């Protein structure tokens, strides 16, 4: 299993309970996909949109290896990021 694929899968499988399942997934197709929920499988991430895209799709299945970044759209406490495995200090404010 590719290290990047493994990391993305782990991130979504271990998403903290207190962090809403919302954000923006950025893909290797140069697409930014806002999502309002997600499901995980061994090889794919299923993203659910709150609004359909221009083609009318509300859900997208994407292989983990096609994820490039995830934007978190919620205000998140540093402790939540620590539970996700991040270390260090974020500026307050």
């Amino acid at each position: 299993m590719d290290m990047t694929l493994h990391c993305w899968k782990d991130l979504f499988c271990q998403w903290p309970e207190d962090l809403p399942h919302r954000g923006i997934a950025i893909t290797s197709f140069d697409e930014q996909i806002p999502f309002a929920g997600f499901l995980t499988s061994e090889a794919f991430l299923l993203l659910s949109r709150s609004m359909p895209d221009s083609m009318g799709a509300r859900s997208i299945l994407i292989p983990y290896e096609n994820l490039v970044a995830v934007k978190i759209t919620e205000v998140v406490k540093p402790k939540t990021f620590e539970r996700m495995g991040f270390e260090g200090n974020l500026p307050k404010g």
Side-chain angles (χ1 to χ4, degrees), residues 3-23:
M3 182 63 171
T4 302
L5 182 149
H6 181 69
C7 292
W8 284 121
K9 183 176 184 296
D10 284 351
L11 176 85
F12 282 97
C13 287
Q14 298 171 14
W15 194 274
E17 287 183 27
D18 62 336
L19 181 59
H21 287 197
R22 290 189 292 268

Side-chain angles (χ1 to χ4, degrees), residues 6-92:
H6 181 69
C7 292
W8 284 121
K9 183 176 184 296
D10 284 351
L11 176 85
F12 282 97
C13 287
Q14 298 171 14
W15 194 274
E17 287 183 27
D18 62 336
L19 181 59
H21 287 197
R22 290 189 292 268
I24 301 168
I26 301 171
T27 72
S28 59
F29 315 123
D30 290 329
E31 185 177 8
Q32 294 193 32
I33 304 168
F35 62 92
F38 62 83
L39 296 174
T40 60
S41 77
E42 188 60 34
F44 293 93
L45 179 66
L46 181 134
L47 298 172
S48 175
R49 302 174 190 256
S50 57
M51 300 290 290
D53 67 10
S54 61
M55 305 270 308
R58 286 194 176 265
S59 300
I60 182 169
L61 291 164
I62 183 167
Y64 291 106
E65 65 257 15
N66 289 106
L67 289 173
V68 175
V70 174
K71 295 181 181 182
I72 306 293
T73 56
E74 304 294 319
V75 175
V76 181
K77 294 180 181 177
K79 290 283 185 201
T80 300
F81 285 123
E82 290 172 11
R83 285 195 308 277
M84 293 172 82
F86 292 94
E87 299 176 355
N89 295 308
L90 291 173
K92 298 192 188 324

